[in-house]
Amino acid sequence: MAVRKAEALWEGSLREGHGLMKFGSFEGQYSFASRFEEAYGTNPEELVGAAHAGCYSMALSAGLGRAGFTPQRIHTVATVTLGTVDGKARITLMHLDCEAEVPGIDPAVFADIAEETRGGCPVSAALAGVQITLDAKLV
């Protein structure tokens, strides 16, 4: 299996500092304000969300394929909730909204495969301590 790398550079204090995260062709600036407020830039939680959305979409495609269906399109949006647990910042909820175009599939079969995939993709497994919810629909 492949081994992947990502990197981050942080300069300065927590509140006044800034950083840069890089992986593949992505490079994004981040700061305290982009993480805990609504300032410009990205943050680690968005990147976890992007990873989960991408992983779920691919895993759903694989599950549908094993069941004999070929999806035309799968679009997943991950909403990451950063909350506080025992006074510490933690990802407390990951919600996946998925819309899929899958010709010829019965909606109940789709719902079963989508739900099975919710806990079965590698990023879901890595987030085992986080509540993961799902809204999946055919379009």
Side-chain angles (χ1 to χ4, degrees), residues 44-126:
E45 291 74 30
E46 285 177 336
L47 300 180
V48 170
H52 201 189
C55 186
Y56 179 83
S57 294
M58 291 180 75
L60 180 57
S61 179
L64 291 165
R66 284 190 297 278
F69 300 97
T70 302
Q72 290 182 337
R73 180 179 171 273
I74 298 171
H75 178 244
T76 305
V77 175
T79 301
V80 184
T81 300
L82 186 64
T84 303
V85 176
D86 296 329
K88 297 179 182 175
R90 296 287 184 260
I91 295 174
T92 56
L93 175 66
M94 178 74 73
H95 179 74
L96 302 173
D97 277 302
C98 178
E99 293 184 347
E101 294 177 39
V102 187
I105 195 169
D106 179 88
V109 171
F110 171 76
D112 288 345
I113 294 169
E115 181 58 31
E116 181 180 313
T117 304
R118 179 178 62 92
C121 83
V123 175
S124 290

Side-chain angles (χ1 to χ4, degrees), residues 118-135:
R118 179 178 62 92
C121 83
V123 175
S124 290
L127 295 171
V130 174
Q131 180 185 5
I132 300 169
T133 58
L134 170 67
D135 285 325

